[in-house]
Amino acid sequence: MRIFRHALLTAALVALLVAPMGTALAADEIKLGTIFSRTGPLANLGLDSWRGAELARIVQNQKGGLLGKKIVFVNGDAPNPKAAVSETERLCTVEKVPVILGSFSSSISLAASAKANQHKVIYWELGAVGDKITERGLKYVFRTCPTGSDLGRDQLRFALGELAKKIGKKPSEMKVASIYEDSAYGTACAAGIRDLAKEKGIKLAVDEAYNYKATDLSSLVMRVKAANPDVILESSYENDAIMFFRQAQEAGLKVRQFVGSGGGMNLPGYQKALGTATSGYVCNVGYPGYNLNPAYAKGIKELEALYTKTFGEKPNSVFSVINYMGTMALWDVINRAGSLDPEALVKAAQATNIPADKTILRFGIKFAGPGSKNMGQNVLARYFISQWQDGKLWIVSPAAAATPGRSLQVK
């Protein structure tokens, strides 16, 4: 927790430095809003996500800013959806920002993006995956990262593909359990798993939700144990993921692999709490960190160095890279729009077509257009597979992106 107390202090200091609340906007500045959890149970995730956007702001300002002006952030704190609504209202009506970036949490994003859309303010989602965020037909909402159902489908696709092959089973022989926290994030992931299972003719051994604020998951553990799965597909935040794993260990629940979906299972706090028990035993389908093969993710080492220089410590989770990439795409949109007029920004965003080799994570950015079920969603976004090994999270798939010297392990 020391790291994150430091992060809180750093974030607060930076917020004060870059955009004192309620101050007049200098003529040579562009003021943009951010909505992330800076306090509360999701603060660890929110703050590291914000750091990615902050790095993109620094990089762009070093290039001369946007439209000839320096970018400054006005930072909102959204520990829950109610706070997200009030902070978005403040950013839109008091600070009068033309764009709000956020937010990691799907519940917070759903609340904040709806409010921003009411004010015709662009809401630029960088990390939250709940499908509903871009399924409501909101004209001013765009998302650069993949969706939750994409996440779920990739979890099951990985389990039935690379993992089944490594275990030595046919896909049809794999017994798969799906457990998920019951907010927008977990529900979307589970829906993706369920859809692909149906498509593949796979019957899930377990398909069950729980609340991430639960203080005891032992009954769920026992139901999963009774189903005797080969693999558990899990969509959890940090504390609930730690509790489920511990109670599974205590109950003697043994599987060949846990496969998370980002959330909290790829955070250092998760590994620190569970220690060596996760090594070669917990994979994550989700966002990659800084240990991508640098020959694949060109510029990743330079970005890591900037992170360390800026925040005084090495990156402590994977979330800043995806937020950096999505924010850089926003700069491209604003430059092409040539102004901060909301209609010009929407038009430029809808015309976005950034090829894969122009982004640090090597997937392109192109948004589903008006009339699409998923309007505003980046249809080219995708995930990576990582695994805890020897206390660190290493990329193991796709092979070209894998950390040099690392490959998938199973127990």
Side-chain angles (χ1 to χ4, degrees):
M1 292 305 294
R2 184 178 176 184
I3 291 175
F4 293 106
R5 281 198 297 271
H6 176 72
L8 278 168
L9 291 172
T10 302
L13 177 60
V14 171
L16 288 171
L17 288 172
V18 300
M21 181 177 167
T23 55
L25 177 65
D28 60 349
E29 293 179 343
I30 285 177
K31 189 166 65 172
L32 305 178
T34 77
I35 288 282
F36 291 95
S37 295
R38 294 170 173 274
T39 57
L42 300 180
N44 294 354
L45 308 170
L47 282 168
D48 205 56
S49 298
W50 171 82
R51 285 181 169 189
E54 173 67 0
L55 292 178
R57 187 189 72 83
I58 292 169
V59 167
Q60 191 65 27
N61 278 341
Q62 289 172 345
K63 296 178 180 176
L66 291 170
L67 310 179
K69 298 182 179 182
K70 179 183 176 182
I71 311 161
V72 296
F73 279 163
V74 183
N75 297 306
D77 179 15
N80 54 57
K82 184 177 179 181
V85 170
S86 62
E87 282 289 79
T88 303
E89 183 74 25
R90 176 179 71 83
L91 291 172
C92 294
T93 61
V94 178
E95 301 292 350
K96 300 186 183 305
V97 299
V99 178
I100 296 175
L101 302 89
S103 61
F104 177 76
S105 163
S106 296
S107 299
I108 288 169
S109 179
L110 282 165
S113 58
K115 178 58 68 176
N117 195 74
Q118 288 177 8
H119 289 285
K120 297 185 178 181
V121 167
I122 301 294
Y123 190 87
W124 199 258
E125 181 54 58
L126 302 164
V129 300
D131 285 38
K132 292 181 181 177
I133 294 168
T134 48
E135 286 183 347
R136 297 169 294 172
L138 300 182
K139 177 180 176 181
Y140 301 95
V141 177
F142 295 88
R143 171 166 50 189
T144 54
C145 62
T147 67
S149 58
D150 289 338
L151 200 52
R153 280 189 286 271
D154 282 356
Q155 280 179 286
L156 184 57
R157 192 175 290 117
F158 170 65
L160 300 180
E162 291 181 69
L163 198 52
K165 185 177 180 181
K166 192 79 173 180
I167 291 172
K169 284 192 171 185
K170 296 177 181 177
S172 59
E173 296 171 341
M174 290 288 284
K175 292 185 69 175
V176 178
S178 171
I179 64 169
Y180 55 98
E181 63 82 31
D182 62 2
S183 75
Y185 153 62
T187 302
C189 294
I193 292 171
R194 206 172 294 127
D195 289 347
L196 185 61
K198 184 178 180 181
E199 182 183 321
K200 298 284 186 183
I202 300 292
K203 181 177 173 56
L204 296 172
V206 175
D207 184 8
E208 192 164 336
Y210 67 89
N211 190 280
Y212 78 91
K213 294 179 182 177
T215 56
D216 182 8
L217 294 173
S218 58
S219 60
L220 174 61
V221 166
M222 296 312 294
R223 288 193 291 277
V224 175
K225 183 180 179 182
N228 191 29
D230 296 299
V231 58
I232 297 174
L233 308 184
E234 184 177 351
S235 298
S236 305
Y237 290 118
E238 185 177 20
N239 292 335
D240 46 315
I242 292 169
M243 181 165 59
F244 183 85
F245 191 93
R246 280 178 173 160
Q247 293 188 331
Q249 297 283 292
E250 291 166 3
L253 169 57
K254 297 185 184 302
V255 293
R256 302 301 299 274
Q257 196 77 196
F258 284 79
V259 180
S261 57
M265 293 173 69
N266 53 8
L267 287 175
Y270 174 81
Q271 195 281 328
K272 186 177 180 181
L274 300 173
T276 57
T278 62
S279 188
Y281 197 40
V282 178
C283 280
N284 268 284
V285 177
Y287 304 146
Y290 292 86
N291 55 6
L292 285 158
N293 188 331
Y296 177 89
K298 293 181 173 58
I300 194 73
K301 291 304 174 189
E302 290 80 2
L303 185 63
E304 182 179 22
L306 178 61
Y307 183 109
T308 303
K309 178 183 177 182
T310 302
F311 303 115
E313 61 182 351
K314 289 186 174 298
N316 50 54
S317 81
V318 302
F319 297 102
S320 54
V321 181
I322 190 84
N323 280 263
Y324 170 83
M325 176 180 156
T327 305
M328 294 302 290
L330 174 62
W331 304 158
D332 174 77
V333 168
I334 293 175
N335 274 327
R336 282 188 289 107
S339 80
L340 297 174
D341 173 76
E343 304 310 318
L345 289 170
V346 167
K347 184 178 179 180
Q350 290 173 346
T352 299
N353 190 5
I354 302 174
D357 62 358
K358 299 296 183 185
T359 71
I360 197 165
L361 292 180
R362 298 283 294 275
F363 63 74
I365 297 179
K366 184 175 183 178
F367 298 106
S372 167
K373 176 188 173 186
N374 214 7
M375 185 175 77
Q377 170 60 36
N378 176 18
V379 297
L380 302 179
R382 61 180 174 79
Y383 292 106
F384 295 70
I385 310 294
S386 57
Q387 187 178 49
W388 287 108
Q389 296 177 10
D390 306 322
K392 292 186 178 180
L393 197 59
W394 304 103
I395 305 297
V396 294
S397 180
T403 311
R406 295 287 171 173
S407 59
L408 177 64
Q409 299 178 3
V410 294
K411 288 192 174 181

